[in-house]
Amino acid sequence: MRILLASSEVHPYSKTGGLADMVGSLAKTLARAGHRVGVVTPLYAGIRERFPELKQLDLPLDLPLGPRRVRGEVWSLEPMPGLTVYFVDQPAFYERADLYQEEGVDYPDNAERFIFFSKAAAHLALHLDWHPEVLHLHDWQASVATLLIHHQRKQTGEGTTPGICLTIHNLAYQGLFPAAQYALTNLPRDYFTPAGVEFYGQLGCLKAGIVYADVITTVSPRYAREITTEEMGCGLDGLLRLRNSSLVGILNGVDYDVWNTINNPYLKHPYSSADLSGKAANKLELQKEFGLPIDASLPLFGGIGRLAEQKGVEITLGALEEMLTTNMQFVAVGTGAPAFQRAYLDLARRHPAQVSVRIGFDEGLSHRIEGGCDFFVMPSRFEPCGLNQMYGLRYGTIPIVRTTGGLDDTVIDVREDAEKANGIKFIEYSSTALAKSIRKALVLFDQPELLRHFRLNGMSADFSWDRTITQYLQAYQQTLAASRKSNR
Ligand code: ADP
């Protein structure tokens, strides 16, 4: 098959979260399976320096963006046979300190930046000489390409446009902008209606994708069900229920080339399920790195991630306040809302022998936390898929999670299956419920044989992409069939 993916972040070129990991490894796995794959993504600051082998393509961009025209260039890279990454070079839009925001505040021209990106993706889908059959868009930043292709399909008819598959990585981020920004699409006003891209008077970029994509996927089966409910549908549940026959939940895979404990440049001591001594050594290294007392007998809990309300920062802070009366340690790396950053730093200041946090984005440290901790805390309010708990499992670090979305789909609690148990789950979104789970973890920590049983169960869980890819290929077939139907 010939598939073009479009995403505002792709590992290893750019990353703020799981989206980058998912797109990077999906592309690699598809190419490895023999498909022709492209990925369109912005050329952010620093990429050119880190990947000097980038080549400029003879594919200049000169696209309308509201009243003006915006030019750009396309640079490409072939990290492996069958895979080409296309970087959209528009320095005024993408050469910035960060991807979407600074100090917790979105860039004011994000509508321009990502509608332009969507236009570039649609342009490449229509003009690349290898004629992609499927355009696979990710999240709101690429979603407007759905509408552009839909419009093109109406103008030019069958067979002229690729099928569109949209993956929702997080329904809470919808790309909502004032109605006036619709003009940036340069499309007829007809689409700006409640049945189209209007969302309560605003332009809804993700909504454009949901209305017009041939097939919609999301990143876990449970989240696919959750987003069709009023409680978790972020105002789009009615529309998603309408599109239910085109909505599929596919659990993200893990790139075990990157996320493994044996061949990992970030881990000082390699280890495997056959010999966990390296894990014990990594724990001591981690305690040292965080400036905490170095002591194997202290249970070490860890957290990694965006410091956003979604991730359960409030209940983590509350549960820690309660549980730090015990002999536990907690380390974390994260970045996000300034108030949460301050709260974590304040907790560390008040408990210097037990809590240590790093504010910032540090990929190596995220591997060392997964590798060195005994338990990984991920109490999200909602979680479309979540990758960190899956990384934790592979690293023998027992996840403590809330029963939501992908967390529920990937972690097995002892109450579900004592033999296969690999983590601790709780239901209620509260500090008390999380503290209770931490207490269970402490009990587990005191039973070395049972602890080992949990760790080994986690390490043997298989979320490899080779298994997941079949489901994406099915979704692409469904996309092609649906696009033919809509062309008629
Ligand atoms: P989300 O996509 O909602 O942010 P996921 O758990 O699906 O959450 O994926 C998060 C990814 O981003 C993981 O690879 C995680 O290690 C990484 N990550 C998040 N925050 C940081 C950080 N501050 N430093 C390093 N890696 C981070």
Side-chain angles (χ1 to χ4, degrees):
M1 250 188 183
R2 300 185 306 277
I3 309 132
L4 181 66
L5 314 182
S7 171
S8 58
E9 53 185 274
V10 184
H11 187 265
Y13 313 104
S14 54
K15 170 167 166 176
T16 69
L19 168 64
D21 287 358
M22 185 277 191
V23 175
S25 44
L26 172 63
K28 245 175 35 176
T29 315
L30 286 167
R32 208 179 274 155
H35 301 282
R36 177 71 180 97
V37 186
V39 184
V40 196
T41 193
L43 185 69
Y44 295 112
I47 296 179
R48 209 194 293 273
E49 290 71 29
R50 285 188 291 124
F51 298 89
E53 61 277 31
L54 284 188
K55 281 206 291 278
Q56 188 175 358
L57 287 189
D58 185 19
L59 210 90
L61 300 171
D62 182 3
L63 303 168
L65 194 66
R68 60 186 178 131
R69 292 194 78 85
V70 176
R71 289 167 188 258
E73 289 170 358
V74 181
W75 293 70
S76 79
L77 190 71
E78 270 193 53
M80 62 185 286
L83 172 60
T84 312
V85 185
Y86 300 94
F87 293 95
V88 179
D89 182 16
Q90 213 309 311
F93 283 158
Y94 309 126
E95 285 266 338
R96 306 221 174 150
D98 223 317
L99 271 55
Y100 315 122
Q101 51 169 240
E102 278 173 51
E103 307 284 327
V105 181
D106 285 346
Y107 289 125
D109 58 350
N110 274 349
E112 280 95 335
R113 296 174 76 222
F114 292 106
I115 290 176
F116 180 78
F117 172 61
S118 296
K119 289 189 173 187
H123 184 80
L124 287 181
L126 297 172
H127 292 98
L128 283 173
D129 56 7
W130 53 274
H131 303 296
E133 295 162 277
V134 172
L135 176 60
H136 184 179
L137 305 166
H138 296 264
D139 274 356
W140 75 263
Q141 293 91 339
S143 272
V144 169
T146 321
L147 177 59
L148 298 163
I149 298 282
H150 170 84
H151 183 68
Q152 172 84 8
R153 201 180 277 174
K154 277 207 332 199
Q155 309 291 306
T156 53
E158 183 159 0
T160 55
T161 60
I164 306 285
C165 177
L166 168 76
T167 294
I168 303 170
H169 294 255
N170 195 332
L171 190 66
Y173 297 91
Q174 296 186 7
L176 295 178
F177 298 101
Q181 306 278 47
Y182 177 75
L184 295 168
T185 64
N186 301 87
L187 290 174
R189 198 76 194 165
D190 316 6
Y191 298 111
F192 195 78
T193 65
V197 305
E198 185 204 326
F199 186 72
Y200 297 101
Q202 291 187 289
L203 163 64
C205 291
L206 186 65
K207 189 180 173 203
I210 297 175
V211 173
Y212 298 107
D214 297 306
V215 165
I216 304 158
T217 78
T218 187
V219 288
S220 70
R222 177 163 170 162
Y223 192 62
R225 295 192 297 275
E226 287 172 346
I227 58 177
T228 61
T229 66
E230 197 179 339
E231 189 198 347
M232 298 186 71
C234 302
L236 289 170
D237 47 289
L239 173 61
L240 285 160
R241 283 194 296 277
L242 270 179
R243 299 237 45 201
N244 210 10
S245 61
S246 309
L247 174 64
V248 196
I250 305 176
L251 194 69
N252 279 343
V254 171
D255 185 345
Y256 291 122
D257 293 345
V258 177
W259 293 94
N260 74 82
T261 57
I262 296 168
N263 190 1
N264 186 325
Y266 299 118
L267 294 182
K268 193 157 175 190
H269 305 280
Y271 62 96
S272 68
S273 48
D275 179 3
L276 286 171
S277 58
K279 180 161 179 67
N282 285 323
K283 173 174 172 178
L284 303 182
E285 295 285 346
L286 190 66
Q287 288 171 320
K288 189 166 148 203
E289 181 170 359
F290 271 98
L292 293 175
I294 301 167
D295 183 345
S297 73
L298 295 175
L300 179 57
F301 293 72
I304 303 166
R306 293 183 293 112
L307 299 181
E309 213 261 342
Q310 173 204 340
K311 297 290 176 184
V313 183
E314 274 161 338
I315 66 170
T316 305
L317 290 163
L320 287 175
E321 291 286 0
E322 184 179 335
M323 295 308 298
L324 285 170
T325 49
T326 68
N327 248 344
M328 63 172 282
Q329 293 177 329
F330 178 79
V331 296
V333 62
T335 175
F340 287 146
Q341 297 185 170
R342 281 195 299 275
Y344 261 129
L345 290 171
D346 179 58
L347 188 74
R349 194 180 41 75
R350 286 185 288 112
H351 301 273
Q354 286 180 283
V355 178
S356 183
V357 295
R358 293 283 152 75
I359 300 302
F361 195 94
D362 186 335
E363 193 167 343
L365 189 54
S366 71
H367 285 259
R368 292 193 290 282
I369 290 178
E370 296 281 12
C373 285
D374 297 301
F375 299 97
F376 188 82
V377 184
M378 197 156 170
S380 309
R381 185 187 279 282
F382 66 93
E383 194 57 76
C385 176
L387 290 169
N388 277 313
Q389 82 284 6
M390 293 199 254
Y391 301 154
L393 289 170
R394 177 48 61 112
Y395 284 49
T397 301
I398 296 162
I400 300 175
V401 302
R402 246 196 94 230
T403 49
T404 184
L407 297 177
D408 195 34
D409 284 341
T410 52
V411 176
I412 305 170
D413 186 271
V414 73
R415 282 166 304 184
E416 289 168 283
D417 188 332
E419 199 41 49
K420 295 196 182 128
N422 58 20
I424 298 170
K425 286 184 181 175
F426 64 99
I427 298 171
E428 190 186 274
Y429 185 79
S430 72
S431 299
T432 319
L434 174 56
K436 195 170 160 195
S437 292
I438 294 179
R439 232 172 271 126
K440 284 185 187 174
L442 296 176
V443 172
L444 184 59
F445 189 74
D446 284 337
Q447 302 176 64
E449 266 320 298
L450 194 56
L451 185 71
R452 191 179 152 77
H453 177 73
F454 270 63
R455 284 202 208 290
L456 297 186
N457 277 347
M459 293 176 87
S460 66
D462 182 4
F463 299 108
S464 58
W465 270 104
D466 295 329
R467 292 167 50 143
T468 305
I469 207 76
T470 322
Q471 295 175 58
Y472 271 102
L473 289 169
Q474 274 165 8
Y476 295 154
Q477 290 297 353
Q478 194 183 337
T479 302
L480 288 177
S483 75
R484 281 186 211 116
K485 229 192 246 165
S486 84
N487 272 327
R488 256 185 249 132

